[in-house]
Amino acid sequence: MIFEADYSKAGGAIRAISHFRCNLKRLYGVLHDPRSWGVTEFPRLTIAKENSKLVYSFAGLERATITLESWNSEFSEIEIVVEGAKDQAARNKQIQYWSSVIKELRHRLASSDLVVASAPAKINLFFAVGAFLKDGYHEVASLYQALALREQLSIETAGRNSVEFCGQYRSWAEQSVPKDQSNLVFIAQKALGEYSAELSYTKLSFLIKKSVPIAGGMAGGSADAAAALLAIDGRFELGLGSKLEEIAAALGSDVPFSLRGGTAQGLGRGEVLSPIETSGTLHFVITPNPVGLSTPLVYKQLDLMRIEEGIDVSALAPPTLPSALLRAVAESNPLALAPLMSNDLERATLRLRPELRQVLDAGEEAGALRSMISGSGPSIVHLAKNRTDAELIAERLRRASFDSIVSYSSASGSRLES
Ligand code: C5P
């Protein structure tokens, strides 16, 4: 179980997730009864919302909220958020406490061997498109930023290969993400089969919790591929380490970044990464759009517009990232960053989907420092000055009928969660 800072809350909150092979009701029953946990110290249960939420208070000022969510009838997830710890020592004590409780409960609920990997959504704070290359790709210069918003995926060995979806974007995925061998998770499985005889004849069932908008320019599919690589590497003890990044590049231009996360410059097709150290957290609002966009179509539209303007699209100079932009992101300075954010694909996306202009305008009217299409779109990213502003902007956008999510920059890449 991995605890990390929860910047969606004020004052040093931390959060972690864990997974159990049982239904929500059973898990709720166990969590509802701290005396049954098999640990010597237990908190006081102060709020209990049936099958969905439990709040515990400790002798200090710490408060832990466990939110339960079912992936399906036999697979459940919990999120633990700890607030009110007065210092790092108190936070560490909570981390130790919950880690031992959850280990014990996972053991008791036959869940210790579950393999769940997660990978972050990305946005592009800057995206410059250069020459159209002979291999059908474009040379790009991207400033990638990973978000706290993550895709999650579990794998189990099975009688046949299969993929199922759950989570917020489940029905959307059912309509538009392939379940056959063309799904990136199977391509990842096949690519790793070369490194393990056992894997090459083992069938896997994937369960993907879709939390990143589909075909939205936020690398949700690439995140699934990255999480699949990591889950398989972990489950079959392949120990591929940095070799995974090379394998990831063959799966898609954004997959290496989905593995690595954090903040990075991406050159080449976007897969040649250089990490950027940052000193703080940036807060964003994302407005997804229920109608996805095809990335190749957006690139093609940009080329057409450039050709109309008399530009030779195969002779463009290699794009680069401005140094002022790199400084602003390294300092996590939203005011300096906002005017430097730019996306060459934006005008092509807007030509294909002119109605998105309304969302861009609504974002800036709602107080965003900058509203911009993320990657090829149609998701729109709004940069906020801070966490409170992000909440406010999201609320105003929702009131204007643009459903929006709040998230923040994350230093994490793909990881095994359970
Ligand atoms: O690499 P990925 O499979 O995500 O790319 C999808 C499509 O997007 C490519 O087939 C190509 O048409 C376009 N693309 C591009 N230049 C890039 C990345 C993607 O033209 N640097």
Side-chain angles (χ1 to χ4, degrees):
M1 194 166 51
I2 301 164
F3 272 94
E4 60 186 354
D6 183 352
Y7 293 111
S8 68
K9 310 245 168 0
I14 49 173
R15 72 179 285 276
I17 55 173
S18 190
H19 306 84
F20 295 84
R21 195 184 272 121
C22 67
N23 66 33
L24 217 54
K25 204 165 163 233
R26 169 125 198 258
L27 186 56
Y28 180 81
V30 174
L31 291 170
H32 192 271
D33 183 11
R35 284 170 193 272
S36 73
W37 291 351
V39 289
T40 48
E41 191 192 337
F42 37 83
R44 195 162 58 86
L45 184 62
T46 54
I47 299 174
K49 270 199 198 163
E50 185 137 11
N51 295 342
S52 68
K53 190 174 165 175
L54 295 145
V55 182
Y56 309 88
S57 68
F58 287 79
L61 289 173
E62 303 88 359
R63 190 173 71 252
T65 303
I66 295 192
T67 310
L68 295 87
E69 195 180 342
S70 75
W71 283 33
N72 64 29
S73 58
E74 59 221 39
F75 195 101
S76 305
E77 175 186 342
I78 58 166
E79 179 199 50
I80 307 179
V81 176
V82 178
E83 293 170 270
K86 65 177 189 306
D87 54 20
Q88 194 52 44
R91 269 190 289 277
N92 288 343
K93 201 166 161 228
Q94 282 283 315
I95 292 171
Q96 258 177 17
Y97 180 74
W98 286 109
S99 300
S100 65
V101 168
I102 298 307
K103 190 170 173 212
E104 172 66 29
L105 299 186
R106 275 168 58 85
H107 177 69
R108 196 186 314 165
L109 295 167
S111 306
S112 306
D113 63 334
L114 276 181
V115 179
V116 176
S118 71
K122 65 88 184 162
I123 51 175
N124 304 90
L125 296 171
F126 186 91
F127 199 71
V129 180
F132 176 55
L133 307 170
K134 288 202 175 71
D135 61 6
Y137 281 83
H138 293 74
E139 197 166 22
V140 303
S142 164
L143 177 54
Y144 282 115
Q145 177 60 61
L147 297 181
L149 178 71
R150 300 174 80 80
E151 290 278 277
Q152 292 184 60
L153 163 156
S154 84
I155 54 165
E156 302 236 39
T157 54
R160 63 179 185 92
N161 278 346
S162 68
V163 59
E164 295 298 333
F165 304 112
C166 61
Q168 188 181 358
Y169 294 121
R170 178 183 156 271
S171 57
W172 190 352
E174 294 286 353
Q175 285 163 31
S176 54
V177 180
K179 284 186 163 185
D180 62 15
Q181 294 300 307
S182 67
N183 190 302
L184 276 179
V185 298
F186 295 126
I187 301 176
Q189 176 187 357
K190 203 161 163 219
L192 294 184
E194 270 190 40
Y195 299 89
S196 154
E198 185 196 357
L199 174 62
S200 65
Y201 59 73
T202 303
K203 306 286 184 217
L204 294 175
S205 78
F206 293 90
L207 179 58
I208 305 178
K209 186 180 175 203
K210 300 292 297 178
S211 304
V212 179
I214 288 143
M218 297 180 68
S222 301
D224 295 345
L229 287 174
L230 207 69
I232 297 169
D233 180 68
R235 165 67 182 74
F236 292 88
E237 296 174 352
L238 305 181
L240 286 167
S242 58
K243 181 108 183 120
L244 279 181
E245 215 159 285
E246 213 177 283
I247 300 165
L251 299 181
S253 312
D254 290 334
V255 186
F257 178 74
S258 301
L259 259 186
R260 201 186 281 197
T263 310
Q265 164 178 279
L267 299 178
R269 288 188 283 127
E271 86 290 13
V272 183
L273 299 175
S274 316
I276 298 168
E277 285 285 328
T278 61
S279 59
T281 304
L282 292 168
H283 294 268
F284 300 98
V285 177
I286 309 294
T287 309
N289 191 288
V291 184
L293 251 179
S294 144
T295 304
L297 191 69
V298 177
Y299 274 103
K300 203 176 281 171
Q301 179 64 41
L302 177 65
D303 284 340
L304 282 174
M305 290 164 84
R306 284 177 165 174
I307 290 164
E308 273 167 24
E309 291 158 4
I311 295 167
D312 180 351
V313 293
S314 52
L316 290 162
T320 54
L321 297 180
S323 49
L325 173 83
L326 296 176
R327 263 198 311 279
V329 79
E331 290 166 2
S332 305
N333 179 344
L335 292 169
L337 182 62
L340 301 170
M341 284 168 65
S342 141
N343 178 0
D344 281 354
L345 291 178
E346 184 168 76
R347 63 192 184 111
T349 304
L350 288 175
R351 177 72 69 89
L352 293 166
R353 300 280 291 278
E355 75 281 6
L356 293 172
R357 167 69 61 197
Q358 288 174 30
V359 190
L360 294 174
D361 293 344
E364 293 185 356
E365 262 165 46
L369 297 173
R370 179 90 163 87
S371 296
M372 195 173 86
I373 304 276
S374 172
S376 55
S379 299
I380 287 172
V381 53
H382 313 272
L383 173 66
K385 199 155 63 176
N386 51 38
R387 182 181 65 85
T388 333
D389 268 27
E391 296 284 356
L392 230 123
I393 293 162
E395 189 45 45
R396 288 178 181 149
L397 282 168
R398 283 182 208 124
R399 261 191 267 132
S401 310
F402 299 119
D403 218 6
S404 298
I405 317 165
V406 171
S407 196
Y408 51 87
S409 58
S410 162
S412 295
S414 297
R415 64 188 185 209
L416 290 173
E417 293 283 358
S418 289

mmCIF file of all heavy atoms in Angstrom, residues 127-129 131-133 135-141 144 184 222 248-255 267-271 294-300 303 345 376, ligand 1:
data_model
loop_
_atom_site.group_PDB
_atom_site.id
_atom_site.type_symbol
_atom_site.label_atom_id
_atom_site.label_comp_id
_atom_site.label_asym_id
_atom_site.label_seq_id
_atom_site.Cartn_x
_atom_site.Cartn_y
_atom_site.Cartn_z
ATOM 1 N N PHE A 127 2.842 21.822 -26.384
ATOM 2 C CA PHE A 127 2.936 20.781 -27.406
ATOM 3 C C PHE A 127 3.220 21.447 -28.748
ATOM 4 O O PHE A 127 2.365 22.148 -29.291
ATOM 5 C CB PHE A 127 1.627 19.977 -27.457
ATOM 6 C CG PHE A 127 1.788 18.646 -28.125
ATOM 7 C CD1 PHE A 127 2.490 17.625 -27.506
ATOM 8 C CD2 PHE A 127 1.255 18.418 -29.376
ATOM 9 C CE1 PHE A 127 2.658 16.387 -28.115
ATOM 10 C CE2 PHE A 127 1.403 17.183 -29.999
ATOM 11 C CZ PHE A 127 2.102 16.168 -29.365
ATOM 12 N N ALA A 128 4.433 21.246 -29.243
ATOM 13 C CA ALA A 128 4.799 21.809 -30.547
ATOM 14 C C ALA A 128 4.942 20.663 -31.536
ATOM 15 O O ALA A 128 5.566 19.644 -31.237
ATOM 16 C CB ALA A 128 6.101 22.582 -30.435
ATOM 17 N N VAL A 129 4.334 20.828 -32.696
ATOM 18 C CA VAL A 129 4.385 19.782 -33.721
ATOM 19 C C VAL A 129 5.283 20.251 -34.857
ATOM 20 O O VAL A 129 5.094 21.345 -35.399
ATOM 21 C CB VAL A 129 2.968 19.478 -34.269
ATOM 22 C CG1 VAL A 129 3.017 18.387 -35.334
ATOM 23 C CG2 VAL A 129 2.037 19.067 -33.127
ATOM 24 N N ALA A 131 7.894 18.431 -38.156
ATOM 25 C CA ALA A 131 7.748 17.814 -39.485
ATOM 26 C C ALA A 131 6.952 16.517 -39.467
ATOM 27 O O ALA A 131 7.007 15.746 -38.505
ATOM 28 C CB ALA A 131 9.139 17.544 -40.051
ATOM 29 N N PHE A 132 6.215 16.329 -40.549
ATOM 30 C CA PHE A 132 5.550 15.046 -40.809
ATOM 31 C C PHE A 132 6.633 14.117 -41.351
ATOM 32 O O PHE A 132 7.261 14.395 -42.372
ATOM 33 C CB PHE A 132 4.433 15.268 -41.839
ATOM 34 C CG PHE A 132 3.740 14.004 -42.252
ATOM 35 C CD1 PHE A 132 3.174 13.174 -41.298
ATOM 36 C CD2 PHE A 132 3.641 13.651 -43.597
ATOM 37 C CE1 PHE A 132 2.524 11.996 -41.675
ATOM 38 C CE2 PHE A 132 2.989 12.475 -43.981
ATOM 39 C CZ PHE A 132 2.433 11.648 -43.015
ATOM 40 N N LEU A 133 6.878 13.013 -40.648
ATOM 41 C CA LEU A 133 7.996 12.137 -40.994
ATOM 42 C C LEU A 133 7.552 11.018 -41.945
ATOM 43 O O LEU A 133 6.352 10.735 -42.063
ATOM 44 C CB LEU A 133 8.596 11.526 -39.713
ATOM 45 C CG LEU A 133 8.995 12.537 -38.626
ATOM 46 C CD1 LEU A 133 9.336 11.827 -37.317
ATOM 47 C CD2 LEU A 133 10.165 13.396 -39.098
ATOM 48 N N ASP A 135 7.671 7.899 -41.562
ATOM 49 C CA ASP A 135 7.001 6.751 -40.921
ATOM 50 C C ASP A 135 5.550 7.052 -40.529
ATOM 51 O O ASP A 135 4.899 6.249 -39.856
ATOM 52 C CB ASP A 135 7.794 6.286 -39.695
ATOM 53 C CG ASP A 135 7.910 7.378 -38.629
ATOM 54 O OD1 ASP A 135 7.283 8.444 -38.796
ATOM 55 O OD2 ASP A 135 8.610 7.166 -37.625
ATOM 56 N N GLY A 136 5.042 8.245 -40.909
ATOM 57 C CA GLY A 136 3.640 8.577 -40.614
ATOM 58 C C GLY A 136 3.469 9.327 -39.300
ATOM 59 O O GLY A 136 2.364 9.737 -38.964
ATOM 60 N N TYR A 137 4.567 9.480 -38.552
ATOM 61 C CA TYR A 137 4.508 10.230 -37.288
ATOM 62 C C TYR A 137 4.989 11.654 -37.497
ATOM 63 O O TYR A 137 5.495 12.005 -38.567
ATOM 64 C CB TYR A 137 5.379 9.539 -36.226
ATOM 65 C CG TYR A 137 4.704 8.351 -35.598
ATOM 66 C CD1 TYR A 137 4.729 7.104 -36.231
ATOM 67 C CD2 TYR A 137 4.033 8.456 -34.391
ATOM 68 C CE1 TYR A 137 4.093 6.005 -35.668
ATOM 69 C CE2 TYR A 137 3.397 7.369 -33.809
ATOM 70 C CZ TYR A 137 3.433 6.149 -34.454
ATOM 71 O OH TYR A 137 2.803 5.079 -33.893
ATOM 72 N N HIS A 138 4.820 12.477 -36.455
ATOM 73 C CA HIS A 138 5.329 13.847 -36.487
ATOM 74 C C HIS A 138 6.390 14.006 -35.416
ATOM 75 O O HIS A 138 6.282 13.415 -34.338
ATOM 76 C CB HIS A 138 4.207 14.853 -36.223
ATOM 77 C CG HIS A 138 3.186 14.899 -37.310
ATOM 78 N ND1 HIS A 138 2.258 13.913 -37.495
ATOM 79 C CD2 HIS A 138 2.960 15.826 -38.289
ATOM 80 C CE1 HIS A 138 1.492 14.205 -38.536
ATOM 81 N NE2 HIS A 138 1.908 15.364 -39.040
ATOM 82 N N GLU A 139 7.368 14.845 -35.722
ATOM 83 C CA GLU A 139 8.355 15.171 -34.701
ATOM 84 C C GLU A 139 7.682 16.160 -33.741
ATOM 85 O O GLU A 139 7.032 17.112 -34.200
ATOM 86 C CB GLU A 139 9.556 15.823 -35.390
ATOM 87 C CG GLU A 139 10.758 15.831 -34.537
ATOM 88 C CD GLU A 139 12.013 16.152 -35.340
ATOM 89 O OE1 GLU A 139 11.917 16.764 -36.426
ATOM 90 O OE2 GLU A 139 13.090 15.805 -34.834
ATOM 91 N N VAL A 140 7.809 15.936 -32.445
ATOM 92 C CA VAL A 140 7.121 16.832 -31.505
ATOM 93 C C VAL A 140 8.065 17.296 -30.398
ATOM 94 O O VAL A 140 9.133 16.706 -30.176
ATOM 95 C CB VAL A 140 5.885 16.143 -30.849
ATOM 96 C CG1 VAL A 140 4.896 15.654 -31.883
ATOM 97 C CG2 VAL A 140 6.296 15.010 -29.913
ATOM 98 N N ALA A 141 7.663 18.353 -29.706
ATOM 99 C CA ALA A 141 8.307 18.754 -28.449
ATOM 100 C C ALA A 141 7.168 18.932 -27.456
ATOM 101 O O ALA A 141 6.293 19.788 -27.647
ATOM 102 C CB ALA A 141 9.089 20.046 -28.621
ATOM 103 N N TYR A 144 5.211 17.207 -20.844
ATOM 104 C CA TYR A 144 4.239 16.284 -20.252
ATOM 105 C C TYR A 144 4.101 16.569 -18.763
ATOM 106 O O TYR A 144 5.106 16.774 -18.073
ATOM 107 C CB TYR A 144 4.763 14.860 -20.319
ATOM 108 C CG TYR A 144 4.673 14.128 -21.627
ATOM 109 C CD1 TYR A 144 5.839 13.748 -22.296
ATOM 110 C CD2 TYR A 144 3.454 13.732 -22.151
ATOM 111 C CE1 TYR A 144 5.785 12.997 -23.466
ATOM 112 C CE2 TYR A 144 3.398 12.987 -23.323
ATOM 113 C CZ TYR A 144 4.564 12.623 -23.967
ATOM 114 O OH TYR A 144 4.502 11.873 -25.114
ATOM 115 N N LEU A 184 -4.525 -2.480 -26.311
ATOM 116 C CA LEU A 184 -3.099 -2.315 -25.967
ATOM 117 C C LEU A 184 -2.636 -3.243 -24.833
ATOM 118 O O LEU A 184 -1.469 -3.611 -24.777
ATOM 119 C CB LEU A 184 -2.821 -0.860 -25.565
ATOM 120 C CG LEU A 184 -2.561 0.142 -26.700
ATOM 121 C CD1 LEU A 184 -2.338 1.534 -26.127
ATOM 122 C CD2 LEU A 184 -1.352 -0.261 -27.550
ATOM 123 N N SER A 222 -2.890 4.727 -23.114
ATOM 124 C CA SER A 222 -1.458 4.520 -22.867
ATOM 125 C C SER A 222 -1.225 4.166 -21.403
ATOM 126 O O SER A 222 -0.344 3.366 -21.078
ATOM 127 C CB SER A 222 -0.665 5.790 -23.206
ATOM 128 O OG SER A 222 -0.869 6.124 -24.557
ATOM 129 N N ALA A 248 7.694 -0.146 -23.971
ATOM 130 C CA ALA A 248 6.573 0.796 -23.945
ATOM 131 C C ALA A 248 6.556 1.660 -25.207
ATOM 132 O O ALA A 248 5.492 1.920 -25.772
ATOM 133 C CB ALA A 248 6.669 1.682 -22.703
ATOM 134 N N ALA A 249 7.730 2.074 -25.678
ATOM 135 C CA ALA A 249 7.807 2.971 -26.845
ATOM 136 C C ALA A 249 7.228 2.299 -28.081
ATOM 137 O O ALA A 249 6.662 2.962 -28.956
ATOM 138 C CB ALA A 249 9.246 3.398 -27.078
ATOM 139 N N ALA A 250 7.351 0.969 -28.154
ATOM 140 C CA ALA A 250 6.810 0.252 -29.314
ATOM 141 C C ALA A 250 5.282 0.171 -29.248
ATOM 142 O O ALA A 250 4.631 -0.083 -30.249
ATOM 143 C CB ALA A 250 7.414 -1.147 -29.385
ATOM 144 N N LEU A 251 4.708 0.393 -28.051
ATOM 145 C CA LEU A 251 3.246 0.301 -27.903
ATOM 146 C C LEU A 251 2.542 1.607 -28.248
ATOM 147 O O LEU A 251 1.353 1.619 -28.553
ATOM 148 C CB LEU A 251 2.875 -0.098 -26.472
ATOM 149 C CG LEU A 251 3.393 -1.455 -25.966
ATOM 150 C CD1 LEU A 251 2.929 -1.709 -24.546
ATOM 151 C CD2 LEU A 251 2.900 -2.582 -26.860
ATOM 152 N N GLY A 252 3.243 2.730 -28.139
ATOM 153 C CA GLY A 252 2.630 4.026 -28.447
ATOM 154 C C GLY A 252 3.527 5.155 -27.944
ATOM 155 O O GLY A 252 4.279 4.966 -26.992
ATOM 156 N N SER A 253 3.387 6.315 -28.572
ATOM 157 C CA SER A 253 4.297 7.432 -28.269
ATOM 158 C C SER A 253 4.195 7.908 -26.822
ATOM 159 O O SER A 253 5.165 8.415 -26.266
ATOM 160 C CB SER A 253 3.982 8.618 -29.186
ATOM 161 O OG SER A 253 3.868 8.175 -30.507
ATOM 162 N N ASP A 254 2.993 7.784 -26.217
ATOM 163 C CA ASP A 254 2.815 8.295 -24.852
ATOM 164 C C ASP A 254 3.063 7.243 -23.769
ATOM 165 O O ASP A 254 3.079 7.571 -22.584
ATOM 166 C CB ASP A 254 1.378 8.829 -24.670
ATOM 167 C CG ASP A 254 1.125 10.101 -25.457
ATOM 168 O OD1 ASP A 254 2.091 10.843 -25.724
ATOM 169 O OD2 ASP A 254 -0.046 10.353 -25.810
ATOM 170 N N VAL A 255 3.226 5.989 -24.177
ATOM 171 C CA VAL A 255 3.309 4.916 -23.170
ATOM 172 C C VAL A 255 4.567 5.053 -22.282
ATOM 173 O O VAL A 255 4.476 4.875 -21.060
ATOM 174 C CB VAL A 255 3.184 3.511 -23.807
ATOM 175 C CG1 VAL A 255 3.113 2.440 -22.721
ATOM 176 C CG2 VAL A 255 1.926 3.428 -24.673
ATOM 177 N N LEU A 267 10.656 14.430 -26.602
ATOM 178 C CA LEU A 267 11.026 14.775 -27.983
ATOM 179 C C LEU A 267 10.828 13.550 -28.870
ATOM 180 O O LEU A 267 10.271 12.552 -28.433
ATOM 181 C CB LEU A 267 12.474 15.275 -28.022
ATOM 182 C CG LEU A 267 12.777 16.544 -27.205
ATOM 183 C CD1 LEU A 267 14.255 16.920 -27.291
ATOM 184 C CD2 LEU A 267 11.907 17.729 -27.649
ATOM 185 N N GLY A 268 11.287 13.637 -30.112
ATOM 186 C CA GLY A 268 11.069 12.536 -31.059
ATOM 187 C C GLY A 268 9.583 12.464 -31.365
ATOM 188 O O GLY A 268 8.955 13.463 -31.717
ATOM 189 N N ARG A 269 8.991 11.279 -31.174
ATOM 190 C CA ARG A 269 7.539 11.136 -31.316
ATOM 191 C C ARG A 269 6.843 11.478 -30.004
ATOM 192 O O ARG A 269 5.638 11.313 -29.869
ATOM 193 C CB ARG A 269 7.192 9.687 -31.679
ATOM 194 C CG ARG A 269 7.551 9.292 -33.082
ATOM 195 C CD ARG A 269 6.981 7.898 -33.382
ATOM 196 N NE ARG A 269 7.768 6.826 -32.784
ATOM 197 C CZ ARG A 269 7.268 5.870 -31.995
ATOM 198 N NH1 ARG A 269 6.000 5.851 -31.670
ATOM 199 N NH2 ARG A 269 8.044 4.913 -31.512
ATOM 200 N N GLY A 270 7.636 11.870 -29.003
ATOM 201 C CA GLY A 270 7.125 12.134 -27.654
ATOM 202 C C GLY A 270 7.691 11.119 -26.682
ATOM 203 O O GLY A 270 7.497 11.222 -25.469
ATOM 204 N N GLU A 271 8.403 10.126 -27.229
ATOM 205 C CA GLU A 271 8.859 9.005 -26.385
ATOM 206 C C GLU A 271 10.284 9.193 -25.858
ATOM 207 O O GLU A 271 10.729 8.431 -25.003
ATOM 208 C CB GLU A 271 8.731 7.681 -27.163
ATOM 209 C CG GLU A 271 9.895 7.283 -28.068
ATOM 210 C CD GLU A 271 10.068 8.132 -29.329
ATOM 211 O OE1 GLU A 271 9.457 9.212 -29.432
ATOM 212 O OE2 GLU A 271 10.843 7.712 -30.199
ATOM 213 N N SER A 294 -10.123 11.276 -32.757
ATOM 214 C CA SER A 294 -9.031 10.413 -33.214
ATOM 215 C C SER A 294 -7.755 11.249 -33.345
ATOM 216 O O SER A 294 -7.738 12.269 -34.032
ATOM 217 C CB SER A 294 -9.425 9.797 -34.565
ATOM 218 O OG SER A 294 -8.307 9.687 -35.393
ATOM 219 N N THR A 295 -6.696 10.791 -32.676
ATOM 220 C CA THR A 295 -5.424 11.542 -32.703
ATOM 221 C C THR A 295 -4.889 11.714 -34.139
ATOM 222 O O THR A 295 -4.532 12.838 -34.525
ATOM 223 C CB THR A 295 -4.391 10.844 -31.794
ATOM 224 O OG1 THR A 295 -4.956 10.738 -30.494
ATOM 225 C CG2 THR A 295 -3.089 11.597 -31.731
ATOM 226 N N PRO A 296 -4.823 10.618 -34.947
ATOM 227 C CA PRO A 296 -4.298 10.794 -36.315
ATOM 228 C C PRO A 296 -5.083 11.839 -37.117
ATOM 229 O O PRO A 296 -4.508 12.603 -37.889
ATOM 230 C CB PRO A 296 -4.459 9.404 -36.945
ATOM 231 C CG PRO A 296 -4.573 8.458 -35.818
ATOM 232 C CD PRO A 296 -5.125 9.206 -34.659
ATOM 233 N N LEU A 297 -6.401 11.886 -36.887
ATOM 234 C CA LEU A 297 -7.241 12.840 -37.617
ATOM 235 C C LEU A 297 -6.846 14.287 -37.271
ATOM 236 O O LEU A 297 -6.797 15.158 -38.150
ATOM 237 C CB LEU A 297 -8.706 12.585 -37.242
ATOM 238 C CG LEU A 297 -9.747 13.302 -38.078
ATOM 239 C CD1 LEU A 297 -9.757 12.715 -39.492
ATOM 240 C CD2 LEU A 297 -11.144 13.154 -37.445
ATOM 241 N N VAL A 298 -6.550 14.528 -36.014
ATOM 242 C CA VAL A 298 -6.188 15.883 -35.581
ATOM 243 C C VAL A 298 -4.837 16.288 -36.189
ATOM 244 O O VAL A 298 -4.672 17.402 -36.691
ATOM 245 C CB VAL A 298 -6.159 15.983 -34.039
ATOM 246 C CG1 VAL A 298 -5.704 17.365 -33.597
ATOM 247 C CG2 VAL A 298 -7.536 15.667 -33.451
ATOM 248 N N TYR A 299 -3.875 15.349 -36.168
ATOM 249 C CA TYR A 299 -2.577 15.641 -36.799
ATOM 250 C C TYR A 299 -2.770 15.963 -38.287
ATOM 251 O O TYR A 299 -2.164 16.890 -38.836
ATOM 252 C CB TYR A 299 -1.631 14.437 -36.677
ATOM 253 C CG TYR A 299 -0.848 14.382 -35.379
ATOM 254 C CD1 TYR A 299 -1.208 13.521 -34.356
ATOM 255 C CD2 TYR A 299 0.284 15.175 -35.198
ATOM 256 C CE1 TYR A 299 -0.474 13.442 -33.180
ATOM 257 C CE2 TYR A 299 1.029 15.106 -34.035
ATOM 258 C CZ TYR A 299 0.645 14.238 -33.025
ATOM 259 O OH TYR A 299 1.379 14.184 -31.875
ATOM 260 N N LYS A 300 -3.617 15.164 -38.939
ATOM 261 C CA LYS A 300 -3.848 15.346 -40.375
ATOM 262 C C LYS A 300 -4.466 16.725 -40.637
ATOM 263 O O LYS A 300 -4.083 17.426 -41.575
ATOM 264 C CB LYS A 300 -4.783 14.229 -40.889
ATOM 265 C CG LYS A 300 -4.650 14.000 -42.381
ATOM 266 C CD LYS A 300 -5.496 12.838 -42.857
ATOM 267 C CE LYS A 300 -4.867 11.485 -42.580
ATOM 268 N NZ LYS A 300 -5.810 10.375 -42.856
ATOM 269 N N ASP A 303 -1.815 19.358 -40.473
ATOM 270 C CA ASP A 303 -1.013 19.367 -41.703
ATOM 271 C C ASP A 303 -1.760 20.050 -42.837
ATOM 272 O O ASP A 303 -1.185 20.857 -43.575
ATOM 273 C CB ASP A 303 -0.647 17.928 -42.115
ATOM 274 C CG ASP A 303 0.466 17.357 -41.249
ATOM 275 O OD1 ASP A 303 1.191 18.159 -40.619
ATOM 276 O OD2 ASP A 303 0.606 16.125 -41.188
ATOM 277 N N LEU A 345 -1.643 21.654 -31.713
ATOM 278 C CA LEU A 345 -2.797 20.882 -32.209
ATOM 279 C C LEU A 345 -4.116 21.592 -31.936
ATOM 280 O O LEU A 345 -5.142 21.237 -32.512
ATOM 281 C CB LEU A 345 -2.830 19.485 -31.566
ATOM 282 C CG LEU A 345 -1.732 18.496 -31.979
ATOM 283 C CD1 LEU A 345 -1.889 17.189 -31.198
ATOM 284 C CD2 LEU A 345 -1.778 18.205 -33.480
ATOM 285 N N SER A 376 -4.332 16.069 -28.311
ATOM 286 C CA SER A 376 -5.189 16.219 -29.487
ATOM 287 C C SER A 376 -6.643 16.492 -29.096
ATOM 288 O O SER A 376 -7.493 16.654 -29.958
ATOM 289 C CB SER A 376 -5.089 14.959 -30.347
ATOM 290 O OG SER A 376 -5.398 13.820 -29.574
HETATM 291 O O1 C5P B 1 1.949 6.518 -30.995
HETATM 292 P P1 C5P B 1 0.472 6.425 -31.015
HETATM 293 O O2 C5P B 1 -0.012 5.051 -31.382
HETATM 294 O O3 C5P B 1 -0.185 6.940 -29.783
HETATM 295 O O4 C5P B 1 0.003 7.395 -32.172
HETATM 296 C C1 C5P B 1 -1.272 7.366 -32.744
HETATM 297 C C2 C5P B 1 -1.264 8.124 -34.061
HETATM 298 O O5 C5P B 1 -1.070 9.527 -33.791
HETATM 299 C C3 C5P B 1 -0.143 7.759 -35.006
HETATM 300 O O6 C5P B 1 -0.507 6.660 -35.812
HETATM 301 C C4 C5P B 1 0.040 9.021 -35.812
HETATM 302 O O7 C5P B 1 -0.947 9.129 -36.809
HETATM 303 C C5 C5P B 1 -0.254 10.121 -34.781
HETATM 304 N N1 C5P B 1 0.995 10.627 -34.170
HETATM 305 C C6 C5P B 1 1.819 11.441 -34.927
HETATM 306 N N2 C5P B 1 2.984 11.904 -34.364
HETATM 307 C C7 C5P B 1 3.307 11.636 -33.083
HETATM 308 C C8 C5P B 1 2.454 10.820 -32.294
HETATM 309 C C9 C5P B 1 1.297 10.323 -32.892
HETATM 310 O O8 C5P B 1 1.548 11.727 -36.089
HETATM 311 N N3 C5P B 1 4.426 12.141 -32.562
#
